[in-house]
Short mmCIF file of all heavy atoms in Angstrom, two decimals:
data_model
loop_
_atom_site.label_atom_id
_atom_site.label_comp_id
_atom_site.label_asym_id
_atom_site.label_seq_id
_atom_site.Cartn_x
_atom_site.Cartn_y
_atom_site.Cartn_z
N PHE A 11 -2.24 2.43 9.76
CA PHE A 11 -2.83 1.14 9.49
C PHE A 11 -4.35 1.27 9.50
O PHE A 11 -4.91 2.25 9.99
CB PHE A 11 -2.42 0.11 10.55
CG PHE A 11 -0.95 -0.16 10.60
CD1 PHE A 11 -0.18 0.33 11.63
CD2 PHE A 11 -0.34 -0.91 9.61
CE1 PHE A 11 1.18 0.09 11.68
CE2 PHE A 11 1.02 -1.15 9.65
CZ PHE A 11 1.79 -0.66 10.69
N THR A 12 -5.02 0.26 8.99
CA THR A 12 -6.47 0.21 8.97
C THR A 12 -6.97 -0.39 10.27
O THR A 12 -6.39 -1.36 10.77
CB THR A 12 -6.96 -0.67 7.80
OG1 THR A 12 -6.39 -0.17 6.59
CG2 THR A 12 -8.47 -0.69 7.70
N ALA A 13 -8.04 0.16 10.82
CA ALA A 13 -8.71 -0.42 11.99
C ALA A 13 -10.15 -0.72 11.58
O ALA A 13 -10.88 0.18 11.16
CB ALA A 13 -8.67 0.53 13.18
N ILE A 14 -10.54 -1.97 11.68
CA ILE A 14 -11.92 -2.39 11.42
C ILE A 14 -12.56 -2.60 12.78
O ILE A 14 -12.04 -3.37 13.60
CB ILE A 14 -11.96 -3.68 10.59
CG1 ILE A 14 -11.26 -3.47 9.25
CG2 ILE A 14 -13.40 -4.15 10.40
CD1 ILE A 14 -11.05 -4.75 8.47
N VAL A 15 -13.66 -1.91 13.04
CA VAL A 15 -14.32 -1.99 14.35
C VAL A 15 -15.76 -2.44 14.15
O VAL A 15 -16.46 -1.93 13.29
CB VAL A 15 -14.29 -0.62 15.08
CG1 VAL A 15 -14.93 -0.74 16.46
CG2 VAL A 15 -12.87 -0.09 15.18
N TYR A 16 -16.18 -3.41 14.96
CA TYR A 16 -17.57 -3.88 14.90
C TYR A 16 -17.99 -4.35 16.29
O TYR A 16 -17.15 -4.64 17.15
CB TYR A 16 -17.72 -5.00 13.86
CG TYR A 16 -16.79 -6.18 14.07
CD1 TYR A 16 -17.20 -7.29 14.81
CD2 TYR A 16 -15.51 -6.17 13.54
CE1 TYR A 16 -16.35 -8.37 15.00
CE2 TYR A 16 -14.66 -7.25 13.73
CZ TYR A 16 -15.09 -8.34 14.46
OH TYR A 16 -14.24 -9.41 14.65
N LYS A 17 -19.29 -4.39 16.50
CA LYS A 17 -19.82 -4.81 17.79
C LYS A 17 -20.18 -6.29 17.72
O LYS A 17 -20.80 -6.76 16.77
CB LYS A 17 -21.05 -4.00 18.17
CG LYS A 17 -21.48 -4.21 19.60
CD LYS A 17 -22.43 -3.14 20.07
CE LYS A 17 -22.64 -3.32 21.58
NZ LYS A 17 -23.47 -2.28 22.13
N GLU A 18 -19.77 -7.02 18.75
CA GLU A 18 -20.07 -8.44 18.86
C GLU A 18 -20.55 -8.69 20.29
O GLU A 18 -19.79 -8.50 21.24
CB GLU A 18 -18.82 -9.27 18.54
CG GLU A 18 -19.08 -10.74 18.40
CD GLU A 18 -17.86 -11.46 17.86
OE1 GLU A 18 -17.58 -11.35 16.66
OE2 GLU A 18 -17.19 -12.12 18.68
N ASP A 19 -21.80 -9.07 20.41
CA ASP A 19 -22.44 -9.20 21.73
C ASP A 19 -22.37 -7.85 22.45
O ASP A 19 -22.87 -6.87 21.95
CB ASP A 19 -21.83 -10.34 22.54
CG ASP A 19 -22.03 -11.70 21.86
OD1 ASP A 19 -23.10 -11.90 21.24
OD2 ASP A 19 -21.12 -12.54 21.93
N ASP A 20 -21.71 -7.80 23.62
CA ASP A 20 -21.67 -6.57 24.41
C ASP A 20 -20.35 -5.83 24.31
O ASP A 20 -20.09 -4.91 25.09
CB ASP A 20 -21.96 -6.89 25.88
CG ASP A 20 -23.39 -7.36 26.08
OD1 ASP A 20 -24.25 -7.02 25.24
OD2 ASP A 20 -23.64 -8.06 27.07
N VAL A 21 -19.46 -6.22 23.40
CA VAL A 21 -18.15 -5.57 23.29
C VAL A 21 -17.89 -5.14 21.85
O VAL A 21 -18.48 -5.66 20.92
CB VAL A 21 -16.99 -6.48 23.77
CG1 VAL A 21 -17.13 -6.81 25.24
CG2 VAL A 21 -16.90 -7.73 22.93
N TYR A 22 -16.98 -4.19 21.71
CA TYR A 22 -16.52 -3.77 20.40
C TYR A 22 -15.20 -4.48 20.11
O TYR A 22 -14.33 -4.58 20.97
CB TYR A 22 -16.30 -2.25 20.35
CG TYR A 22 -17.60 -1.49 20.36
CD1 TYR A 22 -18.16 -1.05 21.55
CD2 TYR A 22 -18.28 -1.24 19.17
CE1 TYR A 22 -19.36 -0.37 21.57
CE2 TYR A 22 -19.49 -0.56 19.17
CZ TYR A 22 -20.01 -0.13 20.37
OH TYR A 22 -21.22 0.54 20.38
N ILE A 23 -15.08 -4.99 18.90
CA ILE A 23 -13.87 -5.67 18.45
C ILE A 23 -13.17 -4.76 17.46
O ILE A 23 -13.81 -4.18 16.57
CB ILE A 23 -14.21 -7.01 17.74
CG1 ILE A 23 -15.13 -7.88 18.59
CG2 ILE A 23 -12.93 -7.75 17.32
CD1 ILE A 23 -14.54 -8.36 19.87
N ALA A 24 -11.86 -4.61 17.60
CA ALA A 24 -11.06 -3.81 16.67
C ALA A 24 -9.98 -4.70 16.09
O ALA A 24 -9.28 -5.40 16.84
CB ALA A 24 -10.45 -2.61 17.38
N GLU A 25 -9.86 -4.70 14.77
CA GLU A 25 -8.87 -5.52 14.08
C GLU A 25 -8.00 -4.66 13.18
O GLU A 25 -8.49 -3.72 12.56
CB GLU A 25 -9.55 -6.55 13.19
CG GLU A 25 -10.43 -7.54 13.90
CD GLU A 25 -11.06 -8.54 12.94
OE1 GLU A 25 -10.64 -8.62 11.75
OE2 GLU A 25 -11.98 -9.24 13.37
N CYS A 26 -6.73 -5.01 13.09
CA CYS A 26 -5.80 -4.39 12.15
C CYS A 26 -5.45 -5.45 11.11
O CYS A 26 -4.64 -6.33 11.38
CB CYS A 26 -4.54 -3.90 12.86
SG CYS A 26 -3.32 -3.21 11.74
N PRO A 27 -6.08 -5.40 9.92
CA PRO A 27 -5.86 -6.47 8.95
C PRO A 27 -4.43 -6.53 8.39
O PRO A 27 -3.97 -7.61 8.03
CB PRO A 27 -6.87 -6.16 7.84
CG PRO A 27 -7.18 -4.72 7.98
CD PRO A 27 -7.03 -4.40 9.44
N GLU A 28 -3.73 -5.41 8.35
CA GLU A 28 -2.36 -5.44 7.81
C GLU A 28 -1.41 -6.22 8.71
O GLU A 28 -0.49 -6.86 8.24
CB GLU A 28 -1.81 -4.01 7.63
CG GLU A 28 -2.52 -3.20 6.59
CD GLU A 28 -3.61 -2.32 7.17
OE1 GLU A 28 -4.10 -2.59 8.29
OE2 GLU A 28 -3.99 -1.35 6.50
N ILE A 29 -1.63 -6.15 10.02
CA ILE A 29 -0.73 -6.78 10.97
C ILE A 29 -1.32 -8.07 11.53
O ILE A 29 -0.62 -9.01 11.84
CB ILE A 29 -0.39 -5.81 12.13
CG1 ILE A 29 0.20 -4.50 11.58
CG2 ILE A 29 0.57 -6.44 13.14
CD1 ILE A 29 1.47 -4.66 10.80
N GLY A 30 -2.64 -8.11 11.66
CA GLY A 30 -3.29 -9.30 12.21
C GLY A 30 -3.61 -9.20 13.69
O GLY A 30 -4.02 -10.17 14.31
N THR A 31 -3.43 -8.01 14.26
CA THR A 31 -3.73 -7.83 15.68
C THR A 31 -5.21 -7.55 15.89
O THR A 31 -5.88 -7.01 15.02
CB THR A 31 -2.88 -6.68 16.26
OG1 THR A 31 -2.96 -5.55 15.39
CG2 THR A 31 -1.43 -7.09 16.43
N VAL A 32 -5.69 -7.94 17.07
CA VAL A 32 -7.11 -7.78 17.43
C VAL A 32 -7.17 -7.42 18.90
O VAL A 32 -6.38 -7.90 19.71
CB VAL A 32 -7.89 -9.10 17.21
CG1 VAL A 32 -9.34 -8.95 17.61
CG2 VAL A 32 -7.78 -9.56 15.77
N ASP A 33 -8.13 -6.56 19.27
CA ASP A 33 -8.40 -6.27 20.67
C ASP A 33 -9.87 -5.94 20.82
O ASP A 33 -10.58 -5.85 19.83
CB ASP A 33 -7.52 -5.13 21.19
CG ASP A 33 -7.21 -5.29 22.69
OD1 ASP A 33 -8.13 -5.66 23.45
OD2 ASP A 33 -6.07 -5.03 23.08
N GLN A 34 -10.31 -5.77 22.05
CA GLN A 34 -11.71 -5.48 22.31
C GLN A 34 -11.85 -4.49 23.44
O GLN A 34 -10.91 -4.27 24.19
CB GLN A 34 -12.47 -6.76 22.64
CG GLN A 34 -12.04 -7.40 23.95
CD GLN A 34 -12.77 -8.70 24.22
OE1 GLN A 34 -13.12 -9.42 23.30
NE2 GLN A 34 -13.00 -9.01 25.47
N GLY A 35 -13.03 -3.89 23.54
CA GLY A 35 -13.30 -2.95 24.61
C GLY A 35 -14.79 -2.73 24.76
O GLY A 35 -15.58 -3.08 23.89
N GLU A 36 -15.17 -2.13 25.88
CA GLU A 36 -16.58 -1.84 26.12
C GLU A 36 -17.08 -0.70 25.25
O GLU A 36 -18.27 -0.57 25.01
CB GLU A 36 -16.80 -1.51 27.60
CG GLU A 36 -16.59 -2.70 28.52
CD GLU A 36 -16.82 -2.35 29.98
OE1 GLU A 36 -17.29 -1.23 30.28
OE2 GLU A 36 -16.52 -3.21 30.83
N THR A 37 -16.15 0.14 24.77
CA THR A 37 -16.49 1.25 23.87
C THR A 37 -15.59 1.16 22.64
O THR A 37 -14.57 0.46 22.65
CB THR A 37 -16.26 2.62 24.53
OG1 THR A 37 -14.85 2.79 24.77
CG2 THR A 37 -17.03 2.76 25.85
N ILE A 38 -15.98 1.88 21.59
CA ILE A 38 -15.15 1.92 20.39
C ILE A 38 -13.76 2.48 20.72
O ILE A 38 -12.75 1.97 20.27
CB ILE A 38 -15.83 2.77 19.29
CG1 ILE A 38 -17.10 2.06 18.80
CG2 ILE A 38 -14.88 3.06 18.14
CD1 ILE A 38 -17.96 2.88 17.86
N GLU A 39 -13.74 3.53 21.52
CA GLU A 39 -12.47 4.17 21.89
C GLU A 39 -11.56 3.20 22.63
O GLU A 39 -10.35 3.16 22.39
CB GLU A 39 -12.72 5.42 22.74
CG GLU A 39 -13.40 6.55 22.00
CD GLU A 39 -14.92 6.37 21.83
OE1 GLU A 39 -15.53 5.48 22.48
OE2 GLU A 39 -15.50 7.11 21.03
N GLN A 40 -12.12 2.41 23.56
CA GLN A 40 -11.31 1.43 24.29
C GLN A 40 -10.79 0.34 23.36
O GLN A 40 -9.64 -0.09 23.48
CB GLN A 40 -12.14 0.78 25.41
CG GLN A 40 -12.42 1.70 26.57
CD GLN A 40 -13.35 1.05 27.60
OE1 GLN A 40 -13.99 0.04 27.33
NE2 GLN A 40 -13.43 1.64 28.78
N ALA A 41 -11.62 -0.11 22.44
CA ALA A 41 -11.19 -1.14 21.49
C ALA A 41 -10.05 -0.63 20.61
O ALA A 41 -9.06 -1.34 20.40
CB ALA A 41 -12.37 -1.59 20.64
N ILE A 42 -10.16 0.60 20.14
CA ILE A 42 -9.12 1.17 19.28
C ILE A 42 -7.84 1.40 20.09
O ILE A 42 -6.74 1.12 19.60
CB ILE A 42 -9.60 2.45 18.60
CG1 ILE A 42 -10.68 2.10 17.57
CG2 ILE A 42 -8.44 3.20 17.93
CD1 ILE A 42 -11.37 3.30 16.94
N ALA A 43 -7.96 1.89 21.31
CA ALA A 43 -6.78 2.11 22.15
C ALA A 43 -6.07 0.79 22.41
O ALA A 43 -4.84 0.70 22.35
CB ALA A 43 -7.18 2.78 23.46
N GLY A 44 -6.83 -0.26 22.70
CA GLY A 44 -6.24 -1.58 22.93
C GLY A 44 -5.58 -2.11 21.68
O GLY A 44 -4.51 -2.73 21.73
N LEU A 45 -6.21 -1.88 20.51
CA LEU A 45 -5.63 -2.31 19.24
C LEU A 45 -4.32 -1.60 18.96
O LEU A 45 -3.35 -2.22 18.52
CB LEU A 45 -6.63 -2.07 18.10
CG LEU A 45 -6.14 -2.47 16.72
CD1 LEU A 45 -5.92 -3.97 16.62
CD2 LEU A 45 -7.14 -2.01 15.66
N LYS A 46 -4.27 -0.30 19.23
CA LYS A 46 -3.03 0.46 19.02
C LYS A 46 -1.91 -0.11 19.88
O LYS A 46 -0.78 -0.31 19.41
CB LYS A 46 -3.25 1.94 19.34
CG LYS A 46 -4.07 2.66 18.30
CD LYS A 46 -4.39 4.08 18.70
CE LYS A 46 -3.19 4.97 18.57
NZ LYS A 46 -3.55 6.40 18.76
N GLU A 47 -2.21 -0.41 21.14
CA GLU A 47 -1.20 -0.95 22.05
C GLU A 47 -0.77 -2.35 21.61
O GLU A 47 0.42 -2.67 21.59
CB GLU A 47 -1.73 -0.97 23.48
CG GLU A 47 -0.76 -1.53 24.50
CD GLU A 47 0.49 -0.68 24.71
OE1 GLU A 47 0.61 0.43 24.14
OE2 GLU A 47 1.39 -1.14 25.43
N ALA A 48 -1.74 -3.20 21.25
CA ALA A 48 -1.41 -4.55 20.80
C ALA A 48 -0.55 -4.51 19.54
O ALA A 48 0.41 -5.28 19.41
CB ALA A 48 -2.70 -5.34 20.55
N THR A 49 -0.88 -3.61 18.63
CA THR A 49 -0.12 -3.49 17.38
C THR A 49 1.28 -2.97 17.65
O THR A 49 2.26 -3.46 17.09
CB THR A 49 -0.88 -2.59 16.39
OG1 THR A 49 -2.19 -3.14 16.18
CG2 THR A 49 -0.15 -2.49 15.06
N ARG A 50 1.40 -1.98 18.53
CA ARG A 50 2.72 -1.45 18.89
C ARG A 50 3.60 -2.53 19.49
O ARG A 50 4.76 -2.72 19.10
CB ARG A 50 2.59 -0.28 19.87
CG ARG A 50 3.93 0.38 20.22
CD ARG A 50 3.77 1.40 21.33
NE ARG A 50 3.38 0.80 22.58
CZ ARG A 50 4.20 0.13 23.41
NH1 ARG A 50 5.47 -0.03 23.08
NH2 ARG A 50 3.76 -0.37 24.55
N LEU A 51 3.05 -3.30 20.43
CA LEU A 51 3.81 -4.38 21.06
C LEU A 51 4.21 -5.45 20.06
O LEU A 51 5.34 -5.96 20.09
CB LEU A 51 3.01 -4.99 22.21
CG LEU A 51 2.80 -4.08 23.42
CD1 LEU A 51 1.80 -4.70 24.39
CD2 LEU A 51 4.13 -3.79 24.12
N TYR A 52 3.30 -5.78 19.16
CA TYR A 52 3.60 -6.79 18.14
C TYR A 52 4.76 -6.32 17.25
O TYR A 52 5.69 -7.07 16.97
CB TYR A 52 2.36 -7.07 17.29
CG TYR A 52 2.60 -8.10 16.23
CD1 TYR A 52 2.43 -9.46 16.50
CD2 TYR A 52 3.02 -7.72 14.95
CE1 TYR A 52 2.67 -10.41 15.52
CE2 TYR A 52 3.26 -8.68 13.97
CZ TYR A 52 3.09 -10.02 14.26
OH TYR A 52 3.34 -10.96 13.30
N LEU A 53 4.69 -5.05 16.81
CA LEU A 53 5.72 -4.53 15.92
C LEU A 53 7.08 -4.39 16.60
O LEU A 53 8.11 -4.45 15.93
CB LEU A 53 5.28 -3.20 15.31
CG LEU A 53 4.14 -3.31 14.31
CD1 LEU A 53 3.64 -1.92 13.92
CD2 LEU A 53 4.56 -4.10 13.08
N GLU A 54 7.09 -4.20 17.91
CA GLU A 54 8.37 -4.17 18.62
C GLU A 54 9.03 -5.55 18.59
O GLU A 54 10.24 -5.66 18.51
CB GLU A 54 8.16 -3.72 20.07
CG GLU A 54 7.92 -2.24 20.20
CD GLU A 54 7.75 -1.79 21.64
OE1 GLU A 54 7.79 -2.63 22.56
OE2 GLU A 54 7.53 -0.58 21.83
#
Side-chain angles (χ1 to χ4, degrees):
F11 298 106
T12 305
I14 300 170
V15 182
Y16 55 93
K17 191 164 188 176
E18 190 170 285
D19 297 324
D20 293 336
V21 297
Y22 288 92
I23 309 295
E25 299 181 12
C26 177
E28 294 95 340
I29 304 299
T31 47
V32 179
D33 211 319
Q34 66 183 32
E36 292 180 9
T37 66
I38 292 172
E39 293 79 12
Q40 288 174 346
I42 291 173
L45 179 65
K46 287 174 75 171
E47 179 66 6
T49 303
R50 184 187 65 77
L51 292 170
Y52 181 88
L53 290 172
E54 285 181 359

